[in-house]
Amino acid sequence: MSKLKLVELTDRGIRTRIKVGDITLGEDFVVIAGPCGVESEKQTLETAEAVKAGGGMMFRGGAFKPRTSPYDFQGLGLEGLRILEKAKLNTGLPIVTEVIDPRDVSWVCEFADILQIGARNMQNYSLLKEVGKAERPVLLKRGMYSTLKEWLNCAEYILAEGNLNVILCERGIRTFETYTRNTLDLSMIPAIKELTHLPIVIDPSHGTGKLSLIEKMSLAAVAAGADGLLLEVHVNPCEAKSDADQQLNPGQFAALMQKILKLNHFMQDKAFKSSITGGDIQ
Ligand code: PEP
Ligand code: MN
């Protein structure tokens, strides 16, 4: 396989830091939260307030939804992006949103602080090249059938176009297991830290598809050294037009945030860190 020239961690050990608003990804632990889809102004603005109140640092919602069935909710498109703009205005939270078509990248950048590439588009090379030319950081989800090397090669496509601000997102892969929606591969956290300088966030919502498993997997991701989490939150999950089973309600999100922040604080404590690992959790 060709060399990963740009994503590889060099001997100098310098890791990528990405500044978005007040947050430096790769340095500050980040929780990106919001509904699977932007469904209406009310649902989105209320969810954004809940994310802010619960302690979320960025707001994420899909205006373009790449759905398995063409008959399922596809997102509100431009109208959805305008709603996200209002959510940012109201809460001050940076916006993370998915782009699914290379032709949309330049104008979606006007609304997005971070562009998300979804699992289904991880190997959409024309899309990767286009976001590689954009002046926005890119959150690159792992494809559901992809190996780590394939995923890193996709990140390499983006960096090769000049955009060095890539955040990797593990969201689970397809295995023979059916109890969970996907198999959340937390071994990617140390593996990514070993191979690349890029930050990694974990998405336990899509990674498990089950509300009852999200808390434990979020905390496990923090303990394993993730740079952040991506969590689906909906003001009224039972009415969600997509991913209803995995979205936290505002109360559940706020309670989970407390635990995440507490554990992260503990993990950052130098004395604690070196007492269990010799300081090698990054
Ligand atoms: C999403 O983030 O809502 C989504 C569709 O996720 P994925 O691309 O990981 O399936
Ligand atoms: Mn979703």
Side-chain angles (χ1 to χ4, degrees), residues 36-37 60 65 181 206 232 242-243 246-247:
C36 183
R60 190 206 75 123
K65 296 306 305 172
R181 181 178 179 186
H206 296 87
E232 284 198 336
S242 56
D243 290 350
Q246 67 189 38
Q247 303 203 56

mmCIF file of all heavy atoms in Angstrom, residues 36-37 60 65 181 206 232 242-243 246-247, ligand 2:
data_model
loop_
_atom_site.group_PDB
_atom_site.id
_atom_site.type_symbol
_atom_site.label_atom_id
_atom_site.label_comp_id
_atom_site.label_asym_id
_atom_site.label_seq_id
_atom_site.Cartn_x
_atom_site.Cartn_y
_atom_site.Cartn_z
ATOM 1 N N CYS A 36 -30.218 13.783 15.128
ATOM 2 C CA CYS A 36 -29.786 13.140 13.888
ATOM 3 C C CYS A 36 -30.104 14.081 12.726
ATOM 4 O O CYS A 36 -29.238 14.415 11.935
ATOM 5 C CB CYS A 36 -30.533 11.809 13.736
ATOM 6 S SG CYS A 36 -30.032 10.885 12.300
ATOM 7 N N GLY A 37 -31.356 14.534 12.683
ATOM 8 C CA GLY A 37 -31.748 15.408 11.588
ATOM 9 C C GLY A 37 -32.381 16.708 12.065
ATOM 10 O O GLY A 37 -33.005 16.761 13.123
ATOM 11 N N ARG A 60 -24.648 19.650 16.540
ATOM 12 C CA ARG A 60 -24.632 18.923 15.282
ATOM 13 C C ARG A 60 -26.036 18.522 14.874
ATOM 14 O O ARG A 60 -26.823 18.027 15.693
ATOM 15 C CB ARG A 60 -23.779 17.654 15.415
ATOM 16 C CG ARG A 60 -23.509 16.967 14.100
ATOM 17 C CD ARG A 60 -23.247 15.493 14.323
ATOM 18 N NE ARG A 60 -24.504 14.832 14.611
ATOM 19 C CZ ARG A 60 -24.986 13.805 13.899
ATOM 20 N NH1 ARG A 60 -24.310 13.318 12.889
ATOM 21 N NH2 ARG A 60 -26.131 13.256 14.227
ATOM 22 N N LYS A 65 -29.663 14.212 4.862
ATOM 23 C CA LYS A 65 -29.598 12.893 5.490
ATOM 24 C C LYS A 65 -29.415 11.801 4.435
ATOM 25 O O LYS A 65 -30.306 11.580 3.614
ATOM 26 C CB LYS A 65 -30.903 12.605 6.269
ATOM 27 C CG LYS A 65 -31.185 13.514 7.454
ATOM 28 C CD LYS A 65 -30.067 13.596 8.478
ATOM 29 C CE LYS A 65 -29.586 12.290 9.047
ATOM 30 N NZ LYS A 65 -28.370 12.466 9.890
ATOM 31 N N ARG A 181 -26.568 -2.047 16.887
ATOM 32 C CA ARG A 181 -26.727 -1.602 15.487
ATOM 33 C C ARG A 181 -25.415 -1.767 14.716
ATOM 34 O O ARG A 181 -25.386 -2.145 13.561
ATOM 35 C CB ARG A 181 -27.162 -0.135 15.501
ATOM 36 C CG ARG A 181 -27.393 0.457 14.131
ATOM 37 C CD ARG A 181 -27.869 1.899 14.223
ATOM 38 N NE ARG A 181 -28.064 2.451 12.909
ATOM 39 C CZ ARG A 181 -28.366 3.715 12.677
ATOM 40 N NH1 ARG A 181 -28.544 4.562 13.678
ATOM 41 N NH2 ARG A 181 -28.526 4.147 11.452
ATOM 42 N N HIS A 206 -24.520 6.061 17.033
ATOM 43 C CA HIS A 206 -24.595 5.151 15.891
ATOM 44 C C HIS A 206 -23.821 3.863 16.171
ATOM 45 O O HIS A 206 -24.129 2.815 15.622
ATOM 46 C CB HIS A 206 -24.059 5.828 14.621
ATOM 47 C CG HIS A 206 -24.888 7.007 14.207
ATOM 48 N ND1 HIS A 206 -24.673 8.260 14.705
ATOM 49 C CD2 HIS A 206 -25.972 7.102 13.397
ATOM 50 C CE1 HIS A 206 -25.570 9.092 14.203
ATOM 51 N NE2 HIS A 206 -26.378 8.413 13.414
ATOM 52 N N GLU A 232 -26.083 11.815 19.837
ATOM 53 C CA GLU A 232 -27.358 12.280 19.290
ATOM 54 C C GLU A 232 -28.322 12.621 20.429
ATOM 55 O O GLU A 232 -28.549 11.811 21.337
ATOM 56 C CB GLU A 232 -27.949 11.227 18.347
ATOM 57 C CG GLU A 232 -27.220 11.235 17.021
ATOM 58 C CD GLU A 232 -27.941 10.580 15.865
ATOM 59 O OE1 GLU A 232 -28.807 9.708 16.103
ATOM 60 O OE2 GLU A 232 -27.648 10.927 14.715
ATOM 61 N N SER A 242 -35.635 10.274 12.288
ATOM 62 C CA SER A 242 -34.584 9.281 12.019
ATOM 63 C C SER A 242 -33.894 8.961 13.333
ATOM 64 O O SER A 242 -33.824 9.802 14.227
ATOM 65 C CB SER A 242 -33.576 9.822 10.987
ATOM 66 O OG SER A 242 -33.024 11.048 11.405
ATOM 67 N N ASP A 243 -33.407 7.758 13.432
ATOM 68 C CA ASP A 243 -32.642 7.296 14.599
ATOM 69 C C ASP A 243 -33.323 7.571 15.947
ATOM 70 O O ASP A 243 -32.665 7.960 16.931
ATOM 71 C CB ASP A 243 -31.222 7.910 14.574
ATOM 72 C CG ASP A 243 -30.380 7.318 13.439
ATOM 73 O OD1 ASP A 243 -30.816 6.326 12.824
ATOM 74 O OD2 ASP A 243 -29.298 7.855 13.180
ATOM 75 N N GLN A 246 -31.977 5.866 19.396
ATOM 76 C CA GLN A 246 -30.644 6.106 19.967
ATOM 77 C C GLN A 246 -30.430 7.541 20.429
ATOM 78 O O GLN A 246 -29.333 7.895 20.835
ATOM 79 C CB GLN A 246 -29.568 5.721 18.945
ATOM 80 C CG GLN A 246 -29.560 6.627 17.721
ATOM 81 C CD GLN A 246 -28.668 6.131 16.613
ATOM 82 O OE1 GLN A 246 -28.575 4.940 16.362
ATOM 83 N NE2 GLN A 246 -27.987 7.033 15.930
ATOM 84 N N GLN A 247 -31.473 8.369 20.345
ATOM 85 C CA GLN A 247 -31.256 9.775 20.704
ATOM 86 C C GLN A 247 -31.587 10.001 22.178
ATOM 87 O O GLN A 247 -32.635 9.576 22.676
ATOM 88 C CB GLN A 247 -32.096 10.684 19.805
ATOM 89 C CG GLN A 247 -31.772 10.436 18.334
ATOM 90 C CD GLN A 247 -32.106 11.590 17.422
ATOM 91 O OE1 GLN A 247 -31.650 12.708 17.625
ATOM 92 N NE2 GLN A 247 -32.910 11.321 16.411
HETATM 93 MN MN MN B 2 -28.227 9.578 13.029
#
